[in-house]
Amino acid sequence: MKPTPLLDVLGVGFGPANIALAIALEELAPELSVRFIERRDGPHWQPGMLLPGSDIQNHPLRDLVTPRNPRSRYSFTNFLFENKRLYEHLNLPLHYPLRLEYAQYVKWVAQFFAGQVDYHSEASAIEAVEAGVDAPVAHYRVRTADGRLYRARSLVFAPGRTPHVPTPFAAIRDPRVQHLNHYLPSLAKTLEDGGERRVAVIGGSQSAVEILLHASEQAGVAKLVGYTRNFGYRQKDTSPFSDEVYFPGFVDAFHGASEENKARLRRELVYTNYSASDIDVLNQLYVRRYEEGLRQQQRIELRTCQEILDCRPEEAGIELHSRHFLTGEVSCERYDLVILATGFLDLGNGERQEPWPPLLAPLAARLGDLPLSIARDYRVELGSAAPVYFNGLCESSHGMGDAGSFSLLALRSQHIVDSLVQQVTHKLECPRYA
Ligand SMILES: Cc1cc2nc3c(=O)[nH]c(=O)nc-3n(C[C@H](O)[C@H](O)[C@H](O)COP(=O)(O)OP(=O)(O)OC[C@H]3O[C@@H](n4cnc5c(N)ncnc54)[C@H](O)[C@@H]3O)c2cc1C
């Protein structure tokens, strides 16, 4: 039987992080053999949240390649140029581009790499293969949900972050409770039979505010309730001084900092990206709720200072029990759809963290009692084992700009490719077929 080709690099996930990596590999290390597996049917950027009118939250030049190689053909500017939209785009009265256009840019770049990607391929198990008894890991075997098998001398793991599901919702398996990743399809399903529906949105993030705005425009949504623990929907910290968290120098400083100082910086800088929104959408929500009151057609209700106590799926609706933490007042309401705009997990052992990405948990056993540690080049510290890189998961080790943002994708892929060249080409000398 023909042996499975042993790849130099297998990328798991083909979202923006590994698309940026594909560009960097083509431009910097074309000699490496590479494939990507992606569970979706094609290249889509956050399709469940592609809301009409929403914009991106990064400068468009912080795209998949420009900060690393401004002359690359894969830049956002060249995308506009080749699609004959440059002048019209530059004339738009917008601060940042529409998310729809950026999603098209991501798709446009991805199509150049179609020959390297297997879509409809979900990695379902990852196994380390040793060269012999007690020998270090020589390569990895990755199985997909439909039974395919890949082998590679290095892995670049970029599946996006795991959704954060707060405790009251953790055990619920009901299609009427959904994370924001699935907002648009679940809303469409809820509204499909034309009745009047009640929707709850949990969380105080940018996504929560965007969802409240979008849902309030849907004819079938008769009642829309936002729940947040905060006193109010908070504005993001958009100070240009704070935004230096998206500088490469910040990543160096953060990565080298003590755990105590990392925690201190994260506390100080959290509102640059989390539990807060841009002022444009906050203002729209405030005015829209006010205007509904003027018309005596109040559909939007914002319940602040709320702790969710319990969530109970009943036939008549999802029952949410909550408590106002100042007054102690407890309430119970039923909804047809509950959206968790509650963000994502980071790596670590604290609150809102997971120790390992679930798929790679078997590798954790190799570390014994040692905590997960990720080097500056995004390589997981696994001793002399074949290298595994985390691409887009390293906020707790590399700082606020690392996960959850386009800002450092291009430079991150350079770090990973430089390291891959060292690790795969120079250090290991296994045959390509084994
Ligand atoms: C609603 C929303 C809006 C955002 N807007 C912005 C913005 O405007 N600007 C910004 O800088 N950042 C934004 N972000 C942050 C966002 O995380 C990044 O922009 C970017 O999507 C990160 O890319 P990624 O490749 O790391 O992750 P993802 O985009 O999540 O891509 C991961 C890919 O891996 C695939 N995958 C997962 N598991 C498997 C598996 N087991 N096997 C195979 N494939 C798998 C997924 O299908 C997916 O395609 C936004 C995030 C959200 C949720």
Side-chain angles (χ1 to χ4, degrees):
M1 204 168 95
K2 198 167 176 272
T4 318
L6 184 60
L7 297 159
D8 290 326
V9 186
L10 180 69
V12 176
F14 203 58
N18 265 354
I19 297 174
L21 182 83
I23 302 173
L25 281 164
E26 181 184 280
E27 293 180 353
L28 303 172
E31 71 281 7
L32 296 182
S33 60
V34 58
R35 279 209 85 69
F36 296 92
I37 51 179
E38 165 55 55
R39 71 175 165 204
R40 290 192 173 123
D41 60 359
H44 302 287
W45 178 51
Q46 308 294 352
M49 281 291 290
L50 214 50
L51 308 178
S54 62
D55 61 3
I56 62 167
Q57 272 103 54
N58 57 293
H59 193 287
L61 294 186
R62 287 170 169 273
D63 59 17
L64 297 166
V65 67
T66 299
R68 179 180 63 74
N69 176 15
R71 295 186 183 86
S72 170
R73 65 183 291 209
Y74 302 116
S75 68
F76 181 66
T77 312
N78 190 42
F79 158 74
L80 295 172
F81 177 78
E82 289 202 8
N83 285 283
K84 304 190 177 11
R85 282 213 297 270
L86 187 56
Y87 276 98
E88 277 175 273
H89 178 89
L90 293 175
N91 202 33
L92 283 172
L94 292 174
H95 188 53
Y96 285 149
L98 294 169
R99 203 175 289 163
L100 177 64
E101 185 156 48
Y102 228 61
Q104 288 176 359
Y105 159 62
V106 170
K107 195 173 266 193
W108 176 81
V109 175
Q111 47 133 15
F112 292 106
F113 296 91
Q116 296 179 6
V117 190
D118 293 326
Y119 290 105
H120 285 301
S121 282
E122 175 171 6
S124 58
I126 295 178
E127 188 194 338
V129 180
E130 287 159 11
V133 181
D134 288 335
V137 173
H139 67 267
Y140 297 96
R141 262 193 221 127
V142 177
R143 282 178 204 284
T144 59
D146 62 355
R148 270 177 281 180
L149 181 69
Y150 295 81
R151 299 185 317 140
R153 297 197 290 173
S154 69
L155 292 181
V156 183
F157 196 67
R161 289 193 290 174
T162 305
H164 168 55
V165 177
T167 310
F169 304 95
I172 310 260
R173 303 284 174 272
D174 188 301
R176 296 169 297 175
V177 179
Q178 294 282 349
H179 187 261
L180 68 97
N181 276 349
H182 308 288
Y183 166 63
L184 282 174
S186 54
L187 182 75
K189 180 110 193 84
T190 304
L191 301 180
E192 71 186 357
D193 60 6
E196 295 208 321
R197 298 287 176 246
R198 296 170 60 94
V199 176
V201 182
I202 315 294
S205 58
Q206 168 91 19
S207 294
V209 175
E210 289 180 2
I211 289 169
L212 285 163
L213 281 169
H214 177 264
S216 72
E217 289 159 5
Q218 311 308 310
V221 176
K223 185 78 190 164
L224 179 61
V225 182
Y227 288 84
T228 174
R229 279 191 299 206
N230 300 337
F231 169 75
Y233 289 82
R234 197 187 278 117
Q235 186 177 349
K236 265 188 195 167
D237 174 357
T238 53
S239 154
F241 295 101
S242 305
D243 273 352
E244 290 194 5
V245 296
Y246 300 109
F247 280 13
F250 177 81
V251 183
D252 294 329
F254 189 93
H255 188 263
S258 66
E259 288 310 311
E260 192 190 354
N261 283 338
K262 280 189 170 106
R264 178 181 169 159
L265 283 168
R266 280 164 70 85
R267 273 196 306 277
E268 180 185 332
L269 296 167
V270 62
Y271 301 122
T272 54
N273 203 24
Y274 299 112
S275 292
S277 303
D278 286 335
I279 193 67
D280 58 339
V281 290
L282 287 175
N283 285 344
Q284 283 176 49
L285 184 62
Y286 201 88
V287 172
R288 188 163 304 170
R289 183 183 59 157
Y290 182 80
E291 194 178 1
E292 284 184 356
L294 294 181
R295 293 182 194 282
Q296 298 190 325
Q297 291 171 349
Q298 197 75 60
R299 293 195 300 166
I300 303 173
E301 187 186 332
L302 302 177
R303 297 195 176 191
T304 58
C305 305
Q306 295 288 325
E307 305 279 6
I308 302 290
L309 302 174
D310 199 6
C311 171
R312 293 183 202 155
E314 305 286 349
E315 208 182 321
I318 300 290
E319 225 173 68
L320 281 189
H321 298 252
S322 68
R323 188 173 71 91
H324 193 286
F325 74 73
L326 288 178
T327 65
E329 189 186 335
V330 172
S331 61
C332 169
E333 299 276 343
R334 277 198 184 139
Y335 298 97
D336 301 295
L337 179 65
V338 176
I339 297 293
L340 306 177
T342 43
F344 298 85
L345 300 179
D346 284 326
L347 297 177
N349 293 311
E351 204 193 335
R352 295 179 68 114
Q353 293 188 325
E354 60 184 357
W356 277 79
L359 204 55
L360 284 179
L363 295 186
R366 310 194 81 82
L367 292 178
D369 291 335
L370 291 175
L372 172 65
S373 167
I374 301 161
R376 177 64 183 90
D377 61 4
Y378 302 94
R379 192 162 45 93
V380 184
E381 306 276 14
L382 288 169
S384 54
V388 174
Y389 297 84
F390 285 172
N391 190 4
L393 304 175
C394 298
E395 189 157 301
S396 46
S397 52
H398 289 64
M400 306 300 293
D402 190 80
S405 171
F406 265 81
S407 302
L408 290 161
L409 284 183
L411 291 179
R412 192 165 71 218
S413 42
Q414 169 140 23
H415 280 281
I416 296 175
V417 170
D418 288 348
S419 178
L420 274 169
V421 169
Q422 283 295 323
Q423 294 284 325
V424 177
T425 317
H426 297 160
K427 279 201 188 154
L428 297 170
E429 288 185 340
C430 333
R432 297 253 154 127
Y433 291 85

